[in-house]
Amino acid sequence: MPRRHDRMRLGAFLYPGGHHVAAWRHPSSQADAGINAPHYRQLARTAEAAKFDLIFLADGVSIRGDDLDALSRTAIRYVGQFEPLTLLSHLAAVTERIGLVATASTTYNEPFHVARKFASLDHLSEGRAGWNLVTSADPREAWNFSRESHLAHANRYARAEEFVDVVRGLWDSYEDDAFVRDREAGRFFDPEKLHLLAHEGTHFSVRGPLNVPRPPQGHPVVVQAGSSEAGKALAARTAEVIFTAQDSLDDAVAFYADVKGRMARHGRDPDHLKIMPGAFPVVGRTEDEAREKFAALQALIHPVVGRSLLEQLTGADLSAYPDDAPMPDLPETNGGKSRQDLFLRLARREGLTIRQLYLRAAGARGHWILVGTPVQIADALQERFEAYGADGFNLMPPTLPGGLDDFVALVLPELRRRGLFREDYDGNTLRAHLGLPRPEFQPRHRKV
């Protein structure tokens, strides 16, 4: 592969008090982080001062789990946190340059809602919005939307394929210069530059137009998190950023080549898709210090929480198996297929018991865990970046604010010393940060 001449992209994945399953119990974390606006303001300002490309908020539209004992002992199962678009609208007012990315499900939303909300966020932030498209993996979400059962995996992706096309069509309801606001002539917008979508498809019938002008970025950046076969197919056609989970260099390089290699059939430039796997950095000034930090977090995991998290991630009922039993073979799930496959492969490869596997899952839920000094962590990130296993990383601090502060203070100077990360922003929009082109207006059915 040719030597890279670009720089890595970095996202700050803000997950209440941190990504470790026991982060809220750690004295360096913010225990009420999920509903603490000053906490999020501080994190956003820290990431922007460090020149991160974006901040990212995950979301789910149900509490994840039915075991009240386990749920009552964790803060990362969507049991007490802000709705992400509301929060990003707040953070848009206290930041100026950093990108703002939030999750919205294509299974439990309508395209018009998503198009309108993200177009509004793009205007509020002057071109910094991104939509993380997910299809919803948790079957409990169905019960909050008048459905008795979750859509099948294939049906969720078929709906998502059409959903994203409708959203993009709605963002092109008006040409860029449609709103003339000519007081003297009495003309607010040019009617010749209004376009109806008039979409009639398998899943949606949407007339349009959107009642928000075309976003400053043309379209907010479209992000995707799925890594299943259906997810990769959707990403190759539609995504501009992928947040993914690979815990080995070989897997990361194979995923990168696979998805980028599919883009030509859709007439897309591989550089117009940025692959940013999750990375969970535990940073110490010495290796021993880093390991002690990680061990202290692992010691806070309640066994009930660890087992419950593993069941959630794999879609399995493990109640018939003791903690020290080998991980059993599991039937195929209707939930997130890529994450179940990741954990089963890890258990088989390393011969892990259920307890050992949930301890591995508790740190980063299958994402890449790095424990070491600033130089060791920079070495690992550089290796994966230069091997074409990533275009950058969505950083998952183990605790917040401390984990983000440690990375900014200790690892970023090392990455900058190597010329791997920017010193300052080159532009003002998320597309500019990521090196993504602004989509040209695509005319639809003109109103007559």
Side-chain angles (χ1 to χ4, degrees):
M1 297 291 287
R3 186 172 181 272
R4 297 192 77 140
H5 297 287
D6 57 337
R7 292 178 177 174
M8 64 176 64
R9 273 72 187 188
L10 293 178
F13 187 167
L14 306 182
Y15 209 53
H19 281 269
H20 194 278
V21 72
W24 76 273
R25 299 183 65 191
H26 195 275
S28 72
S29 72
Q30 183 73 38
D32 68 346
I35 53 166
N36 188 312
H39 168 72
Y40 279 106
R41 291 198 296 270
Q42 175 189 347
L43 296 176
R45 287 166 171 155
T46 296
E48 183 169 66
K51 315 306 178 187
F52 276 57
D53 294 76
L54 57 93
I55 57 177
F56 170 68
L57 301 177
D59 192 38
V61 288
S62 71
I63 290 176
R64 291 196 171 172
D66 300 315
D67 182 339
L68 287 180
D69 187 27
L71 284 171
S72 70
R73 297 178 183 275
T74 183
I76 67 166
R77 304 283 283 278
Y78 303 108
V79 296
Q81 60 198 73
F82 291 123
E83 187 281 316
L85 273 166
T86 306
L87 177 56
L88 286 186
S89 296
H90 172 66
L91 297 180
V94 298
T95 56
E96 295 180 352
R97 307 283 284 278
I98 197 165
L100 306 168
V101 180
T103 297
S105 170
T106 60
T107 306
Y108 299 111
N109 276 293
E110 289 293 318
F112 194 93
H113 289 139
V114 168
R116 189 184 190 200
K117 290 174 182 179
F118 281 95
S120 297
L121 180 61
D122 209 45
H123 281 284
L124 284 169
S125 64
E126 299 180 297
R128 297 185 282 135
W131 165 37
N132 180 43
L133 179 165
V134 300
T135 62
S136 289
D138 196 306
R140 297 170 189 83
E141 296 190 12
W143 304 334
N144 294 329
F145 294 89
S146 304
R147 295 181 183 176
E148 294 183 0
S149 62
H150 203 29
L151 289 178
H153 186 271
N155 292 342
R156 297 200 305 272
Y157 272 94
R159 177 183 167 96
E161 290 271 3
E162 186 176 340
F163 194 111
V164 69
D165 290 341
V166 175
V167 168
R168 284 177 158 161
L170 288 168
W171 285 334
D172 283 344
S173 292
Y174 302 93
E175 297 179 35
D176 287 311
D177 58 352
F179 284 81
V180 293
R181 300 182 181 90
D182 186 336
R183 288 188 173 98
E184 185 175 345
R187 182 73 71 185
F188 189 64
F189 71 88
D190 184 343
E192 292 299 308
K193 295 184 178 182
L194 166 66
H195 298 257
L196 292 186
L197 180 62
H199 175 87
E200 295 288 343
T202 303
H203 300 276
F204 304 106
S205 174
V206 182
R207 177 182 181 272
L210 197 64
N211 53 356
V212 181
R214 194 164 194 255
Q217 295 186 102
H219 298 169
V221 174
V222 176
V223 181
Q224 194 187 328
S227 300
S228 66
E229 189 61 29
K232 289 186 288 188
L234 179 62
R237 187 176 75 83
T238 67
E240 296 171 293
V241 178
I242 299 180
F243 294 155
T244 182
Q246 284 89 38
D247 66 348
S248 75
L249 178 61
D250 288 346
D251 286 349
V253 170
F255 178 87
Y256 187 101
D258 183 2
V259 176
K260 297 252 186 175
R262 299 174 187 229
M263 294 177 68
R265 72 190 70 166
H266 302 292
R268 299 189 64 202
D269 184 334
D271 286 341
H272 296 168
L273 172 62
K274 307 302 178 185
I275 296 178
M276 298 174 63
F280 175 100
V282 183
V283 190
R285 288 174 174 80
T286 66
E287 188 173 343
D288 284 346
E289 180 187 328
R291 294 189 181 282
E292 288 168 7
K293 281 185 177 183
F294 188 55
L297 278 167
Q298 292 290 87
L300 295 175
I301 301 169
H302 194 286
V304 168
V305 174
R307 175 180 278 266
S308 176
L309 177 65
L310 186 59
E311 290 184 334
Q312 176 212 328
L313 292 169
T314 61
D317 179 359
L318 300 174
S319 58
Y321 305 93
D323 280 1
D324 293 322
M327 189 67 184
D329 291 331
L330 300 176
E332 186 174 353
T333 178
N334 188 36
K337 294 185 183 298
S338 60
R339 198 57 55 90
Q340 183 195 58
D341 181 62
L342 185 152
F343 280 107
L344 291 181
R345 284 189 292 110
L346 177 62
R348 286 193 291 267
R349 185 172 70 233
E350 300 187 19
L352 302 179
T353 65
I354 289 173
R355 185 195 312 276
Q356 290 169 329
L357 191 59
Y358 79 56
L359 287 172
R360 292 285 289 272
R365 304 179 305 284
H367 290 277
W368 188 26
I369 298 175
L370 301 96
V371 181
T373 66
V375 169
Q376 289 172 327
I377 289 176
D379 284 345
L381 297 176
Q382 181 174 4
E383 179 186 39
R384 190 161 295 196
F385 176 69
E386 292 186 343
Y388 290 88
D391 295 308
F393 302 93
N394 202 22
L395 294 174
M396 305 168 62
T399 60
L400 287 169
L404 180 61
D405 292 339
D406 286 346
F407 188 90
V408 168
L410 300 173
V411 180
L412 269 191
E414 182 64 24
L415 292 176
R416 288 190 168 116
R417 186 185 67 77
R418 303 177 189 199
L420 291 169
F421 189 65
R422 66 168 66 87
E423 296 285 347
D424 202 354
Y425 291 117
D426 297 320
N428 297 315
T429 69
L430 179 54
R431 288 187 175 278
H433 303 338
L434 296 171
L436 297 172
R438 186 178 189 273
E440 294 183 5
F441 176 82
Q442 297 293 322
R444 304 288 169 165
H445 298 83
R446 179 167 292 170
K447 184 175 179 180
V448 295

